[in-house]
Amino acid sequence: MTDALALTRALTAVDTVGHAETAALEVVAPLLREAGFRLEVFEHEPGRGTLVAEWETGHDVPPLCLSGHVDTVPLGGAPWQRDPFAGETDGDRVYGRGVSDMKAGVAAIVTAAVAVARSRPRRSGLRLVLTAAEETGSQGARFVADRLGPSGPLVITEPTANVAFHGHKGALWLEAHASGVTAHGSMPHLGDNAVVKLAAAVTRLAEYRFGVEPHPVMGPPTLNVGTFAGGLNTNSVPDRAVATVDVRTVAGQDHAALLAELASVAGVEVRPLIDLPPVWTDPGDEWAASAAEIVRDVTGAGGEVATATYFTDASVLTPALGGVPTLICGPGQPEQAHVTDEWCSITRLAESVEILKRICAAWCGI
């Protein structure tokens, strides 16, 4: 029987800070292969693999899809009190980089899937998509998206403390450029100041009003100017400046139309860095409602509808799978993502395995 905590610790021991996801997938691959899954690994860069595992049952109903990423963010500059790659435990906590975001979630997926695959389904099978490079824009999910066949609903085990999230805002990250003409700083009239141009442009963007109603759960869309750089020395007119802008969108907004409008408002060159649409599943959807009820039954939590503040691979996978109903629900603590001495509750991990087993059993007909 697969031990979710031991599997979390084994995954944590593999340093996947922007590399080596294939090595982490080698930890789970033997368990899935032994359970009867057909496995394929697709590398978008050498060593950076995304695993697609199919439990094919011969039924016509498309499989339930479970997904999580195995890459992590860097450790940060502050010293850790715990070894970030040891998976140390202390009371109800397991520590390490990525345990909440989201190697415990991946371990829960694999543990539940292996357990379910011991049964004889009457209705459908399972598909696991364990991705690389989610943290930098879902490159792994993008690389396999067009290789995935018809699918049932999607569950992503990003950190939610086992609360069922019905989606998340979209992320449209932009880079704005302004060009000018350099000249001596004592004769600015001979130049064309790119910093001044771009400062005016980002001020217009900061004052932009979206003209859409706040989403009843996600809230309003937002725009934040995150970085600004220009010029090389004080005594020259700068001929180049660049800024980055973080736009978070809500369900119903079209990114292509919004990008065109923001470029017009800015009046300078604007190009997308990350373009991940929002994800939203109506709580009244039959499958989503039944899955959320399973979550509440296992955790004893209330029924308030919520969405994530962060983006996930659902931005890529949900549309690629045909706009399937999607829930985000995993054992990690949302506020532990990316922090020093990151931890995940061992109790939440066990709950997550039970939640996933029940959701899988209900879909597969077990």
Side-chain angles (χ1 to χ4, degrees):
M1 182 175 180
T2 304
D3 182 329
L5 176 57
L7 189 53
T8 299
R9 298 184 68 200
L11 287 168
T12 304
V14 183
D15 176 358
T16 54
V17 178
H19 74 294
E21 290 95 336
T22 299
L25 296 174
E26 290 170 357
V27 173
V28 302
L31 301 171
L32 293 168
R33 191 175 292 112
E34 184 179 351
F37 284 78
R38 178 175 59 83
L39 310 184
E40 290 185 272
V41 175
F42 303 93
E43 292 190 336
H44 70 278
E45 293 177 9
R48 306 205 68 181
T50 292
L51 173 68
V52 178
E54 304 273 3
W55 183 44
E56 297 165 327
T57 60
H59 295 288
D60 293 335
V61 177
L64 179 71
C65 187
L66 308 177
S67 183
H69 65 87
V70 295
D71 64 310
T72 71
V73 296
L75 301 182
W80 284 54
Q81 302 303 308
R82 308 275 182 168
D83 184 333
F85 303 112
E88 296 177 22
T89 60
D90 186 359
D92 188 49
R93 296 179 178 182
V94 55
Y95 289 85
R97 172 51 85 221
V99 289
S100 263
D101 186 18
M102 55 168 293
K103 290 182 175 180
V106 170
I109 286 174
V110 174
T111 303
V114 168
V116 169
R118 296 193 189 97
S119 304
R120 180 170 297 178
R122 302 185 307 275
R123 185 173 182 271
S124 187
L126 297 174
R127 171 184 292 138
L128 276 56
V129 182
L130 306 181
T131 65
E134 184 272 349
E135 295 286 4
T136 51
S138 296
Q139 291 95 329
R142 292 181 191 278
F143 193 68
V144 302
D146 61 357
R147 295 173 167 87
L148 304 174
S151 177
L154 171 65
V155 179
I156 293 191
T157 55
E158 288 275 13
T160 72
N162 290 338
V163 175
F165 286 176
H166 288 260
H168 57 74
K169 285 184 175 181
L172 182 60
W173 294 359
L174 307 175
E175 188 172 74
H177 294 261
S179 299
V181 177
T182 191
H184 196 282
S186 68
M187 295 174 281
H189 60 285
L190 298 180
D192 183 15
N193 194 311
V195 165
V196 172
K197 279 185 180 178
L198 191 61
V202 298
T203 298
R204 289 191 294 271
L205 289 175
E207 295 172 348
Y208 175 75
R209 297 295 176 262
F210 287 91
V212 299
E213 292 295 321
H215 188 274
V217 180
M218 295 179 177
T222 60
L223 183 152
N224 177 64
V225 179
T227 67
F228 190 107
L232 298 176
N233 52 295
T234 303
N235 59 338
S236 291
V237 175
D239 61 357
R240 183 176 183 276
V242 60
T244 57
V245 180
D246 180 355
V247 181
R248 299 299 170 121
T249 56
V250 300
Q253 288 187 280
D254 178 80
H255 279 200
L258 180 59
L259 173 59
E261 185 171 353
L262 291 174
S264 176
V265 168
V268 297
E269 179 188 352
V270 176
R271 68 179 185 90
L273 298 173
I274 287 180
D275 185 354
L276 296 169
V279 174
W280 170 251
T281 295
D282 192 314
D285 174 86
E286 181 179 0
W287 172 82
S290 65
E293 182 59 35
I294 288 172
V295 173
R296 290 191 291 270
D297 186 57
V298 172
T299 65
E304 182 178 351
V305 177
T307 55
T309 58
Y310 46 77
F311 64 77
T312 77
D313 278 334
S315 287
V316 174
L317 296 177
T318 297
L321 297 174
V324 296
T326 300
L327 283 184
I328 303 156
C329 184
Q333 299 292 133
E335 65 275 12
Q336 282 296 308
H338 302 190
V339 305
T340 303
D341 291 317
E342 180 181 351
W343 58 266
C344 177
S345 162
I346 298 170
T347 298
R348 293 293 188 204
L349 176 57
E351 285 180 352
S352 181
V353 173
E354 182 62 23
I355 288 167
L356 294 173
K357 284 166 62 175
R358 293 193 193 184
I359 291 175
C360 290
W363 182 261
C364 296
I366 294 171

